Amino acid sequence: MLAADKLLLQSNVKQRAIQLREKELNLFNDNFNAVGTQSAVLAGFAMTSFAEIDLPHNAYFATKACLHLFVTISICANLMCTASTTFVSVWGSGKALRGKDGSMDTAVEGMSQERSFIFTCFGVGLITTLLALMSASWILMTAEVACVATVGISWCIYVIVRQARCSRDAAEMTGELVC
């Protein structure tokens, strides 16, 4: 009787641990799907601006070079983010559900390790999209309007970087979010 109770207790603990890991797996999948979708939208915006924008012939070479550089980096970073979120979600979920005993833990840990790379790609894609917008403002607008646009875009970049750092720091510690 005592041995049976011990086995039942061990089974219940293992089942609850798997349920907790499943919640983590679902959280990662939801987060990665949201980030991947936003990244795909940003890649589309960048590609459209690359293909559709008509640059004046008298624009400075440096501003055109910056625009093309930032758009190219944005497209690449956003597509890497989209591809990574797809791979991690599909392969991680598949391993967790169809793998051998203990594969749920392996899959969740692997997804957790990829999180940093995915969010870095997303951040680079987002910031370079804004920098491309800033470059385009200097090409297409008057100097006065471009200055105002640059201030607004710079403020936006500052807030995004600040919030990303704050979120990262809050995730590293168990305390409250203070931003």
Side-chain angles (χ1 to χ4, degrees):
M1 179 74 175
L2 193 56
D5 287 344
K6 181 180 175 184
L7 285 174
L8 180 63
L9 183 60
Q10 287 174 339
S11 176
N12 286 340
V13 168
K14 188 173 182 178
Q15 185 179 17
R16 287 186 181 151
I18 288 174
Q19 288 173 344
L20 182 61
R21 282 302 205 175
E22 183 181 9
K23 287 181 181 181
E24 286 181 285
L25 179 80
N26 291 335
L27 177 67
F28 281 135
N29 276 330
D30 291 345
N31 288 343
F32 290 158
N33 286 335
V35 170
T37 300
Q38 294 303 314
S39 202
V41 169
L42 288 173
F45 287 157
M47 189 63 205
T48 300
S49 70
F50 197 58
E52 298 291 327
I53 196 168
D54 285 331
L55 300 177
H57 296 290
N58 62 348
Y60 292 110
F61 173 78
T63 54
K64 289 198 292 190
C66 285
L67 174 64
H68 289 130
L69 176 69
F70 292 139
V71 166
T72 301
I73 293 171
S74 176
I75 291 169
C76 292
N78 284 311
L79 288 178
M80 284 189 339
C81 179
T82 302
S84 295
T85 58
T86 302
F87 295 148
V88 169
S89 293
V90 171
W91 291 337
S93 298
K95 181 170 184 63
L97 297 175
R98 292 186 295 277
K100 55 187 172 188
D101 195 30
S103 61
M104 177 75 79
D105 290 332
T106 305
V108 170
E109 289 303 318
M111 292 173 90
S112 179
Q113 290 172 358
E114 293 297 321
R115 189 177 57 187
S116 178
F117 175 74
I118 288 170
F119 287 129
T120 298
C121 286
F122 179 72
V124 168
L126 182 59
I127 297 300
T128 53
T129 298
L130 290 168
L131 291 171
L133 177 63
M134 188 184 296
S135 298
S137 71
W138 282 99
I139 294 170
L140 301 172
M141 299 175 186
T142 64
E144 296 81 14
V145 177
C147 281
V148 172
T150 298
V151 169
I153 295 166
S154 298
W155 175 252
C156 188
I157 291 170
Y158 167 75
V159 170
I160 289 169
V161 170
R162 181 180 165 270
Q163 287 302 114
R165 285 183 178 166
C166 185
S167 296
R168 183 196 65 211
D169 293 345
E172 291 176 356
M173 51 188 209
T174 58
E176 296 178 17
L177 180 63
V178 182
C179 293

